[in-house]
Amino acid sequence: MKLLGLFRHAKSDWHDARARDFDRPLNERGTKGAAVMGRHILEHGVPWQRALASPAVRSAQTIELAEAATGMTMPIEWDRRIYLASSATLADVLRDQPDRYDRLIMVGHNPGLEDLIFDLVPEDGSSPLREMVEVKFPTATFAVLELDIDSWADLHDGCARLVHLMRPRDLDPDLGPQLIED
């Protein structure tokens, strides 16, 4: 069995229209959300062996702030294929991983991460948390999948159970959707 953590980058800033998408930093809410979720990931108790991460600025800042909030560090493999990747590309990145790693965490973007959950977790009722992902997989959300495989190369559709899902707003209501007031 393999364990896969999926961590969507925290909320980014859209205010600088000149900035390339790749270079967008986190906004204030994203900065707070990354730290809150970093503490949650640590408290969740899985000793992650390696992070696979998009090198986009918002992903790198999410990792940096999560690590700073917890004092934890782990080896990170920056993989440009993860940046705005499809589910199929993310699955290929995972299939390329050495089998000495049983617990990997991937930090990236939507819709790829969300679609990866839909591909790996069957829609058969075995993972009730899947329905929450169908509603939305917001920024800074953290999910854990148990994969019924012995080798990353054997990753295939339907091989996983979604066993944990935490959104920033579940830990701090101020990190939830911002409502527009009249």
Side-chain angles (χ1 to χ4, degrees):
M1 182 183 80
K2 302 286 187 191
L3 205 59
L4 174 62
L6 298 176
F7 187 21
R8 185 174 173 202
H9 68 78
K11 189 78 174 161
S12 61
D13 190 352
W14 286 91
H15 286 95
D16 185 352
R18 296 170 301 171
R20 293 182 324 149
D21 179 76
F22 186 88
D23 297 325
R24 279 191 296 116
L26 298 182
N27 65 17
E28 186 178 330
R29 192 168 62 148
T31 298
K32 184 176 179 183
V36 165
M37 293 309 291
R39 287 188 291 275
H40 171 75
I41 291 168
L42 179 67
E43 291 165 3
H44 185 255
V46 173
W48 299 103
Q49 297 168 299
R50 183 182 200 187
L52 309 170
S54 162
V57 169
R58 58 194 180 272
S59 295
Q61 287 181 328
T62 298
I63 293 168
E64 179 182 314
L65 290 163
E67 286 184 336
T70 62
M72 70 174 184
T73 59
M74 71 179 82
I76 301 169
E77 179 183 328
W78 302 100
D79 192 325
R80 193 158 180 91
R81 295 178 295 170
I82 297 171
Y83 173 65
L84 302 181
S86 68
S87 173
T89 299
L90 296 176
D92 286 342
V93 169
L94 290 167
R95 286 186 195 100
D96 290 345
Q97 299 310 304
D99 286 326
R100 69 180 177 273
Y101 299 113
D102 291 323
R103 298 173 310 279
L104 297 175
I105 187 168
M106 182 178 276
V107 183
H109 313 269
N110 254 6
L113 292 178
E114 182 176 299
D115 290 343
L116 185 63
I117 292 171
F118 295 148
D119 289 345
L120 296 179
V121 178
E123 192 175 4
D124 62 2
S126 63
S127 295
L129 294 173
R130 189 181 192 279
E131 291 179 19
M132 288 177 66
V133 176
E134 289 172 4
V135 173
K136 188 169 184 187
F137 194 74
T139 52
T141 293
F142 173 64
V144 178
L145 288 77
E146 288 180 349
L147 306 170
D148 190 21
I149 56 173
D150 293 320
S151 172
W152 291 106
D154 296 334
L155 186 78
H156 61 276
D157 287 358
C159 72
R161 285 184 332 112
L162 180 58
V163 296
H164 181 77
L165 183 71
M166 186 61 65
R167 303 167 301 185
R169 68 177 164 217
D170 298 329
L171 299 170
D172 181 343
D174 290 338
L175 295 173
Q178 302 299 301
L179 303 176
I180 299 171
E181 296 182 20
D182 294 328

